[in-house]
Amino acid sequence: MAPPLRTIGVVGTGCIGASVCVDYVIHGFRVIAVDTDQTALDDTRRLLRETNRFLPAVRPGLDRLPAATADERLVTTTELTALADCEFVVENISERWEAKRDLYRALDKILPAGTGIGVNTSSIPVGLLAAETTRPERVVGIHFMNPSYLKDAVEVMRGAATSDACLAYVQEMLGRLGKQSVVVGDFPGFVSNRISHLFFNEAIRTVQDQGERPEVVDDIFKKCFGHTMGPLETADLIGLDTVLLTLEYLHDSYRDDRYQACSLLREMVAAGRLGRKSGRGFYEHRGTAAADTTRNAR
Ligand SMILES: NC(=O)c1ccc[n+]([C@@H]2O[C@H](COP(=O)([O-])OP(=O)(O)OC[C@H]3O[C@@H](n4cnc5c(N)ncnc54)[C@H](O)[C@@H]3O)[C@@H](O)[C@H]2O)c1
């Protein structure tokens, strides 16, 4: 008899969390996905179905799962207590300190003492969240890139208390997703976003102050620098609300005005122009979530 599937809990199934759920399912895990918003859970199931339908094209080497199998492997719920039996939980809720802090306190009460937690955050140090639990040695940062199921590497943040065993467990698990772990230190924004959010902000300022068109700014990165995506396309993919929250956290943490979010970004978020997730950001976004995300992230 085949061994039971390994079960991973995923809390927060928004822009990145949905793609993390899909990544685990297509790589043979069972996922219990929790979100306070039923629409986000429904969208996650839709993303799984669409991704699975095109799986050999999306992720060469992986075979499409029978539709019923893919559906069965994803359990969606609004109840946090459903995570009690997971071997590991990945947290991807909104980038707000108070919300994450309260969730870690709640998770700590629900999860068995041996269960580890992966913090998927753009900027908040892992050690701060680990300190809200009674298991800091089992808390580790996993900064998944978006969309997770298309990416071959992950930024792994080792908190001061993260144990060798926890780090080794996470590297093994990420290996099963076909991902290499790049281990970095635990400081606001880590390596990726400490740097990238400076050029996102500056790219937006170039549109705001110089009147340059988004396509032109992105073309410089793509055609001249050889990047797969430009900074404004990437910001649209991440979600401009998350980019703004991340810049605000970095600004507060480093007290460095280089991270002060420019007014155009604030205006766009206030107007609900959040990028791909709302259908409009620096670009118009149409089409199905999976097809769109996949096409644009290649
Ligand atoms: N967007 C990206 O590309 C990206 C990449 C890597 C990491 N991150 C990080 O991942 C996290 C999520 O980012 P996002 O862009 O997906 O945000 P999002 O706003 O798109 O999604 C957040 C989701 O969390 C849910 N949520 C909020 N509070 C909750 C709670 N207490 N319990 C359960 N669900 C809750 C919301 O309903 C929403 O569906 C953030 O910390 C962000 O910095 C984002």
Side-chain angles (χ1 to χ4, degrees):
M1 207 169 75
L5 296 183
R6 295 169 65 175
T7 303
I8 303 294
V10 177
V11 196
T13 65
C15 183
I16 187 76
S19 78
V20 169
C21 291
V22 170
D23 209 358
Y24 277 109
V25 169
I26 63 180
H27 284 93
F29 289 80
R30 182 171 169 261
V31 169
I32 299 190
V34 180
D35 201 292
T36 45
D37 178 1
Q38 185 60 46
T39 310
L41 294 168
D42 295 343
D43 287 348
T44 302
R45 187 168 300 286
R46 200 167 309 124
L47 182 67
L48 173 61
R49 287 176 180 163
E50 286 174 17
T51 309
N52 186 43
R53 195 160 350 121
F54 302 109
L55 195 54
V58 171
R59 200 73 195 171
L62 288 184
D63 291 330
R64 186 180 299 124
L65 296 167
T69 304
D71 260 354
E72 274 165 24
R73 284 190 192 172
L74 176 68
V75 176
T76 60
T77 173
T78 55
E79 296 297 327
L80 205 58
T81 49
L83 299 175
D85 295 329
C86 295
E87 70 167 53
F88 187 80
V89 170
V90 177
E91 172 276 313
N92 323 260
I93 72 162
S94 323
E95 187 75 348
R96 297 179 193 277
W97 162 251
E98 291 79 9
K100 288 208 193 259
R101 178 199 61 200
D102 292 352
L103 178 68
Y104 279 75
R105 290 177 182 170
L107 281 174
D108 196 45
K109 293 201 178 82
I110 290 165
L111 302 179
T115 306
I117 309 174
V119 189
N120 188 10
T121 165
S122 300
S123 54
I124 301 173
V126 171
L128 294 182
L129 291 164
E132 298 294 328
T133 75
T134 56
R135 67 194 77 213
E137 72 286 358
R138 289 191 166 82
V139 179
V140 60
I142 312 179
H143 181 206
F144 286 96
M145 303 295 140
N146 191 1
S148 176
Y149 53 82
L150 288 185
K151 303 295 176 172
D152 298 327
V154 174
E155 186 177 35
V156 171
M157 299 82 85
R158 181 173 195 164
T162 308
S163 66
D164 289 344
C166 177
L167 192 64
Y169 165 83
V170 159
Q171 288 177 302
E172 183 275 339
M173 181 188 63
L174 291 170
R176 290 191 184 262
L177 301 185
K179 295 192 202 309
Q180 197 188 334
S181 299
V182 181
V183 181
V184 302
D186 190 26
F187 45 87
F190 323 109
V191 173
S192 58
N193 287 342
R194 189 190 153 116
I195 298 169
S196 66
H197 279 59
L198 285 176
F199 69 75
F200 291 162
N201 203 28
E202 203 52 39
I204 301 170
R205 222 191 295 276
T206 305
V207 174
Q208 171 192 294
D209 294 346
Q210 302 334 119
E212 201 52 271
R213 287 186 299 120
E215 294 83 349
V216 172
V217 173
D218 282 337
D219 270 353
I220 292 296
F221 279 74
K222 291 190 291 188
K223 296 181 179 165
C224 301
F225 298 165
H227 291 203
T228 315
M229 292 174 72
L232 300 172
E233 287 171 320
T234 308
D236 264 12
L237 177 66
I238 293 170
L240 300 187
D241 49 348
T242 298
V243 171
L244 177 57
L245 287 169
T246 301
L247 277 167
E248 287 177 341
Y249 192 87
L250 293 172
H251 188 229
D252 282 354
S253 301
Y254 289 116
R255 307 218 176 277
D256 180 340
D257 283 343
R258 289 180 306 161
Y259 291 107
Q260 188 151 38
C262 64
S263 53
L264 177 60
L265 176 60
R266 292 184 182 286
E267 284 160 20
M268 290 177 72
V269 172
R273 284 179 57 176
L274 308 182
R276 186 165 302 283
K277 62 167 79 167
S278 71
R280 189 168 177 225
F282 288 98
Y283 299 92
E284 299 284 339
H285 302 280
R286 295 197 186 82
T288 61
D292 237 24
T293 303
T294 302
R295 189 171 47 251
N296 285 285
R298 281 207 183 280

